[in-house]
Amino acid sequence: MRRHHRSAALTTAALVGALLAAGCSSGSGGKQSETGGTDAAAGKATTPRMTVALVTHAAPGDTFWDLIRKGAQAAAAKDNIKLVYSSDPVAGNQANLVQNAIDQKVDGIALTAAKPDAMKAVVAKAKAAGIPVVGFNSGLDNWRELGMLEYFGQDENIAGQAFGERLNQQGAKHAVCVIQEQGQVALEARCAGLKKGFKGTTENLYVNGTDMPSVKSTLTAKLQKESTIDRVVTLGAPIAMTAVQSVKDAGSKAEVATFDLNKDLVGAIQGGDIQFAVDQQPYLQGYLAVDALWLYRTNGNVSGGGTAPVLTGPAFVTKDNVDSVAEFAKKGTR
């Protein structure tokens, strides 16, 4: 059954990619409810005003979520939606934010399920209240059992395998996969996929992603201790930029490649400090999640038929194609 779902998902993803063109872990994390949607796209729906809650596990300072919010705001502006954003990296607190949205009687909820067990009860409450829920970014293996209508994101295990295969092509032998939040399903799946696809040695290194000086010192010590490490694999753009400094401080010959993208990382790829990035297109995730709720409310549409996710990645950004992405990164949408 899983294989069938992936096949259907890839077909859907191909259609999305063909329509929207190819486009990668949080806006200002920890913030409570904020309204958005002032960056209007061309055209605007004349359907009745809706309110949609976007609830994520964003950590403070993680710029990845800025991209998701911009995509969500663009869809909200087009669809005549009042977008209310809230986030908390602590799973229980995130569940409370979803409960707040239910209490406010919103018309739809889009959420991330980085810790699926914490979302189970509150998603059930939303369904009982007649509020449709879609998932995005985290929780690909759990969205259907949680009772969500649709899911938009990247199959992180498949992306990790593709990452490992690229390292094989480069002749890498020893990779360290830096995980900035232990137990976060999407991050763990990336490193698990890497281990499956990479023929060399893979080991995980857990760091505190909210404390960059600690990330830097922990990784530097690791590289100094194990000189055979020739690839540092990071799971977020800010971690990747810190890893570049760790490699230099350790006097290591390791090269850095990463998941996810932002403006600074684009420059690092252009300059050769970062080998490549896997872009899961977060702007697209935010846009599709909000737009899907509008389509469901106004026309009963369900992407993937409610059985297959819509995949937004992986797309590899390398020195060969980074210039085509750079102009969008400058605008803050890639």
Side-chain angles (χ1 to χ4, degrees), residues 120-141:
K120 187 173 183 178
V122 76
V123 171
K125 290 180 180 179
K127 289 183 63 179
I131 301 173
V133 180
V134 300
F136 68 97
N137 180 262
S138 297
L140 179 139
D141 292 327

Side-chain angles (χ1 to χ4, degrees), residues 266 322-333:
V266 165
V322 67
D323 289 344
S324 65
V325 175
E327 63 175 297
F328 301 111
K330 287 181 181 178
K331 297 176 183 177
T333 58

Side-chain angles (χ1 to χ4, degrees), residues 92-115:
N93 293 344
Q94 185 193 3
N96 289 337
L97 294 175
V98 177
Q99 182 62 59
N100 290 344
I102 296 170
D103 294 341
Q104 293 167 16
K105 296 180 172 57
V106 298
D107 298 294
I109 299 172
L111 61 83
T112 59
K115 304 288 177 64

Side-chain angles (χ1 to χ4, degrees), residues 20-253:
L20 299 176
C24 108
S25 303
S26 263
S28 300
K31 291 187 177 180
Q32 300 303 305
S33 296
E34 293 184 8
T35 57
T38 56
D39 297 331
K44 186 172 182 178
T46 58
T47 47
R49 184 76 163 166
M50 287 173 49
T51 298
V52 167
L54 189 75
V55 187
T56 77
H57 63 279
D62 190 342
T63 56
F64 173 86
W65 299 94
D66 293 338
L67 303 178
I68 281 186
R69 290 179 66 182
K70 286 182 179 180
Q73 288 168 349
K78 177 182 71 70
D79 295 338
N80 192 25
I81 286 174
K82 175 184 177 182
L83 184 69
V84 182
Y85 177 82
S86 60
S87 66
D88 199 298
V90 178
N93 293 344
Q94 185 193 3
N96 289 337
L97 294 175
V98 177
Q99 182 62 59
N100 290 344
I102 296 170
D103 294 341
Q104 293 167 16
K105 296 180 172 57
V106 298
D107 298 294
I109 299 172
L111 61 83
T112 59
K115 304 288 177 64
D117 289 344
M119 295 294 109
K120 187 173 183 178
V122 76
V123 171
K125 290 180 180 179
K127 289 183 63 179
I131 301 173
V133 180
V134 300
F136 68 97
N137 180 262
S138 297
L140 179 139
D141 292 327
N142 308 93
W143 67 278
R144 285 184 301 119
E145 67 184 60
L146 290 177
M148 298 184 193
L149 282 174
E150 304 161 76
Y151 182 85
F152 305 92
Q154 177 172 264
D155 187 319
E156 303 294 1
N157 193 280
I158 288 179
Q161 291 180 50
F163 200 116
E165 291 166 1
R166 184 170 287 262
L167 294 188
N168 292 335
Q169 295 169 6
Q170 297 175 344
K173 302 298 182 184
H174 186 178
V176 58
C177 194
V178 184
I179 302 179
Q180 68 265 29
E181 183 183 348
Q182 189 167 3
Q184 208 268 57
V185 292
L187 302 183
E188 298 282 357
R190 288 177 176 180
C191 289
L194 173 68
K195 187 173 183 178
K196 185 175 182 179
F198 182 44
K199 295 179 180 178
T201 300
T202 303
E203 54 182 310
N204 294 349
L205 178 67
Y206 291 96
V207 297
N208 180 2
T210 62
D211 185 350
M212 283 303 173
S214 174
V215 172
K216 183 180 177 181
S217 62
T218 300
L219 181 54
T220 300
K222 180 69 173 179
L223 293 171
Q224 289 173 335
K225 182 179 180 181
E226 298 189 42
S227 60
T228 58
I229 295 173
D230 57 9
R231 291 297 186 280
V232 176
V233 179
T234 61
L235 309 182
I239 306 294
M241 300 304 293
T242 298
V244 170
Q245 292 301 315
S246 291
V247 168
K248 292 177 180 178
D249 290 351
S252 172
K253 295 181 180 180

Side-chain angles (χ1 to χ4, degrees), residues 308-319:
V310 176
L311 300 185
T312 61
F316 282 92
V317 178
T318 70
K319 198 167 185 178

